Amino acid sequence: MVYRALEFNADEASLHFLAGNILGQIGQAEKSEEHFKRAISLSPLTAKYHYNLAVLYHRNRRLSDAKEYYQKALSLDPDHRGAKQQLQVLINKSSK
């Protein structure tokens, strides 16, 4: 259904975000990353787009990329609880 909607509105950031989430959940990390990056390019000031890309990177052990996008999410929304928590997890693991 999401892909059908994207056929008609390929420049809708929220649809790319949704596709990224779905693809990430079914283990298609590369395609998920593409959709998250597209969502970010269309709506660069949306913290949750950066956060979800960070989570994808974190799950796939791309820790420096994850850290970068957690920080971007926090720069856009300093109160983003998930980004704060996950960034702290990364920092704690890297200091051990």
Side-chain angles (χ1 to χ4, degrees):
M1 184 172 200
V2 172
Y3 293 109
R4 184 97 169 122
L6 280 169
E7 287 177 18
F8 295 102
N9 196 356
D11 291 332
E12 178 56 49
S14 63
L15 293 175
H16 285 283
F17 176 70
L18 182 58
N21 283 324
I22 292 167
L23 291 163
Q25 289 175 0
I26 61 172
Q28 294 188 23
E30 287 181 27
K31 289 183 181 179
S32 176
E33 178 184 14
E34 290 173 17
H35 282 284
F36 284 141
K37 285 187 169 185
R38 181 71 175 138
I40 289 168
S41 73
L42 293 167
S43 184
L45 302 180
T46 304
K48 69 180 179 179
Y49 298 169
H50 295 273
Y51 172 73
N52 278 46
L53 181 56
V55 170
L56 178 71
Y57 287 150
H58 200 162
R59 286 182 185 155
N60 289 282
R61 296 184 184 94
R62 292 176 57 180
L63 302 183
S64 63
D65 292 327
K67 183 177 179 181
E68 175 185 347
Y69 280 89
Y70 286 136
Q71 290 171 331
K72 286 181 180 181
L74 285 170
S75 73
L76 296 167
D77 178 3
D79 296 322
H80 194 292
R81 182 181 294 172
K84 282 182 182 180
Q85 291 172 344
Q86 293 305 312
L87 182 59
Q88 192 59 51
V89 167
L90 278 180
I91 291 169
N92 290 343
K93 282 186 179 182
S94 67
S95 66
K96 291 183 181 183

